[in-house]
Amino acid sequence: MAVRITCSSCKSQFTVSDDKRGRKVRCRECEKPIVVPDADAPKKKRDPEEAIQKDRKVRMAADRRSSDDDDDDDDDRPTRKKAAAAKKPVPMMLVVGGIVAVLLLCVVGVGGVAVFGIGGLGVFTLRANKEVENQAQANPKNDGPNVNLLDGKKPPIDPDAGKALPAELPPELVPKLKEATVYLRVTMPSGQVAEGSGFLAVEPGIVITNAHVLGMLGAKSEPPRNVQVVLNSGLPNERMILGDVLGVDRASDLAVVHIKDGNLPAPLQLEMSRQLVETQKVYIFGFPFGEQLGKNITVSASTISSFRTDPSTRELEQIQVNGGMHPGNSGGPVVHAGGKLVGVSVAGIRGTQINFAIPAEKVRLIMDGRLADAKHGEVYMQGAQTMLPVQFNCLDPLNRVRKMHVEVWAGTPGPPRPYSLKQPQAQAGDGKRQAHPMAYQNFGGALDVPMPPLEVGQVCWVQPVITTASGTTHWGNAVPTSVGMVPLERKDADLKVSLTAVTERTVILKNSSSVTIFMGKKKKMIAEVLEGEILESLSFHQKCAFIKTGIGGFNVRAEEDGRAIPLNPEIPPYLRAIPPQFILDETNKLRGRLDRSLGKTKMSPILREQVEDYYSQLCNALEAVNIPMPNRVIRPLESFPTQLPMMLESGKKPEIADLMLTCTYEGVRTRNQRS
């Protein structure tokens, strides 16, 4: 006969043989001793106060155990615990970080964007929603679902952590999960409409989706015109709420949107306490193929087939699942049979059942606050000290970042070092790290950092560091400064144009451009790099100057949707036959352009169009770098406005479009006896 017992520490249940009654055994999960009740022992009436004290001790012990487990992630655990872990049918705990893995596969986005690659280190933050920030400050403990992950304390023991998952998703959970899953209609800056999925998570009003669903996966992508968040899509109680984009994390392809409404479904809870295993059953919620299939939500069963880790950090980057995702599922939740979020749908390989989800830990990290983009200014001298201006921004939608500092050290040149949640180890040639605190405000910090003395061949390494409310420390990407950088002297300069000092010169022109053409739901991308030698001859007449040009060597590298487009060899000779002339005033501002016409030259309409297009690109590139000057003495870091007139071919006659710029004078750098 077997006896069913329950561990008072971790609440695990298991059976022992009848001959163990009255003796101590160890819990098979937490290794704590348990006394097996004696069948003949009289049942003692439990004193209420004693019960309260006992429960309090159990919770304290569990909290200590949770804290110890967190601290032991990177350390060797006792042999007994290792042995116990070896018996359990689960893999070793995966410690998830914030660095991105580039997936060397051609993947198809399961959102509105057709084809994309998983990768890119860029992280872009827009802003934190003021209402969310105020709510977080007014309720620092935040009693919302699962928010204890972010409130600066150790997360409580998950009441479901010790329980086995059900074999299937319970029917009573399905309506709640469907309510928390939302349909997204995103209007891009071009007017194009994309469809995708998302879900409510972490706090009321917070919607998680993919960055590519919002059209913001690219480093230079602009925010969408609007984001429509549809709740209960396809049902009689369907409603639409406009969302605000709080920020995107391009490294993990995640985005945070905020919606304002007093009657929202409960957010999904993130699975942080249970280890995932291959063959585990999961459920994918979302809107495959958008409204083309129908407005109602689709729920698909799938299984975990693999865990994809970053090869350099060995941290979990993606969860591979066997089917269940299609275009339109992007950004939707992937949950286990207990109804908690384990991942976010992101991509699949066309023509296969191989699909990928972003781990829930990535969602927790961006909600907790993480480093985003970094900018380094021009090195300058302040007395005898070399200074480097730096600026760092954070993705911090809930205003959880508490501290920021920057670490610098002298070392040998090398590739950038990755983002990490662990204290980086010194590498060969590294000098002592120097930490400089930064004031964190407006979701970032800026500082002029003293650089350490550098020996010949050394560089200065720079690494930002933040600490969040949960106590997590993030080390951002460490990057080296340029070798042989000549510091600026911050002194006054007379920025005055001379139209007589140089009468002839050869300039090397390089113009890069990319164009996306939308045709209904299809699009094509054309990228070109134009390079050429231009001879400029200047003649001064009273208060203006004429610049005659001559086009020398000319080369174009072009591609359409990644396929190379060869340059028609007839184009360069025609371009050399029609060099433009420009008229400048005494401030270097463009006042006019004299164009030569191809006239009645016999050529095909297609060739004529190509020649005129490249001619416009050459002219616009020359005009774009012809910056007017203030013609006065200007102080370091002083800014001045200016405008660049550019002639654009928009019809039969060229039209002038002005680029409005703000220029900032940084200082003087002396190189080769020239300032």
Side-chain angles (χ1 to χ4, degrees), residues 15-219:
T15 57
V16 297
S17 60
D18 190 59
D19 60 357
K20 301 290 187 185
R21 289 185 181 275
R23 299 166 58 185
K24 285 185 179 181
V25 297
R26 289 195 177 276
C27 174
R28 296 174 184 174
E29 294 294 329
C30 68
E31 298 286 331
K32 298 289 184 180
I34 309 171
V35 177
V36 181
D38 193 337
D40 300 327
K43 293 185 179 180
K44 180 181 177 182
K45 187 175 180 180
R46 193 180 185 189
D47 178 74
E49 182 61 27
E50 181 184 351
I52 293 173
Q53 294 297 329
K54 185 174 182 180
D55 287 345
R56 183 176 299 166
K57 290 179 180 178
V58 170
R59 285 196 301 271
M60 290 174 63
D63 285 343
R64 284 195 299 271
R65 186 172 62 257
S66 174
S67 175
D68 291 342
D69 288 347
D70 288 345
D71 294 339
D72 287 343
D73 276 349
D74 310 317
D75 301 329
D76 291 332
R77 300 180 185 241
T79 305
R80 178 166 45 83
K81 286 193 176 182
K82 286 185 176 179
K87 295 178 183 178
K88 295 196 287 185
V90 292
M92 187 170 63
M93 177 67 76
L94 296 168
V95 182
V96 180
I99 197 67
V100 68
V102 179
L103 183 66
L104 299 179
L105 293 169
C106 176
V107 295
V108 179
V110 290
V113 177
V115 179
F116 66 96
I118 301 295
L121 293 176
V123 186
F124 172 62
T125 179
L126 288 172
R127 58 187 174 87
N129 184 279
K130 199 66 180 175
E131 179 186 344
V132 176
E133 179 185 340
N134 292 340
Q135 179 183 354
Q137 292 174 347
N139 183 19
K141 292 186 178 181
N142 214 325
D143 298 325
N146 207 43
V147 177
N148 285 323
L149 287 169
L150 307 173
D151 65 4
K153 299 180 180 179
K154 292 291 182 182
I157 292 298
D158 186 344
D160 299 325
K163 300 178 182 177
L165 289 174
E168 302 285 343
L169 184 65
E172 61 270 18
L173 286 182
V174 175
K176 297 179 180 179
L177 296 170
K178 289 169 64 175
E179 287 178 354
T181 306
V182 298
Y183 166 64
L184 298 178
R185 282 178 55 87
V186 183
T187 304
M188 303 298 179
S190 63
Q192 189 85 355
V193 176
E195 301 170 290
S197 305
F199 58 96
L200 296 160
V202 181
E203 286 196 359
I206 293 295
V207 175
I208 304 296
T209 186
N210 288 145
H212 78 260
V213 170
L214 303 183
M216 297 183 68
L217 190 62

Side-chain angles (χ1 to χ4, degrees), residues 377-381 387-388 482 484-491 493 665-675:
E378 297 289 338
V379 174
Y380 71 95
M381 296 300 298
M387 307 294 288
L388 173 65
S482 299
M485 182 180 292
V486 180
L488 289 170
E489 294 180 76
R490 287 192 169 173
K491 62 182 182 181
Y665 166 59
E666 293 276 356
V668 174
R669 177 178 288 127
T670 302
R671 188 163 30 210
N672 298 329
Q673 289 77 50
R674 295 181 60 191
S675 294

Side-chain angles (χ1 to χ4, degrees), residues 471-501:
T472 304
T473 300
H474 300 237
W475 283 265
N477 296 327
V479 296
T481 57
S482 299
V483 179
M485 182 180 292
V486 180
L488 289 170
E489 294 180 76
R490 287 192 169 173
K491 62 182 182 181
D492 296 354
D494 189 1
L495 297 189
K496 186 176 182 179
V497 175
S498 172
L499 297 176
T500 58

Side-chain angles (χ1 to χ4, degrees), residues 303-325:
T303 54
I304 296 175
S305 54
S306 184
F307 299 102
R308 300 299 174 183
T309 57
D310 183 288
S312 60
T313 64
R314 309 309 302 169
E315 293 172 346
L316 180 63
E317 282 300 313
Q318 290 185 322
I319 301 170
Q320 181 180 322
V321 299
N322 185 32
M325 293 184 196

Side-chain angles (χ1 to χ4, degrees), residues 358-373:
I358 302 162
E361 174 69 5
K362 300 283 188 181
V363 178
R364 188 191 71 83
L365 281 175
I366 65 170
M367 299 309 297
D368 199 19
R370 61 161 292 176
L371 282 156
D373 58 309

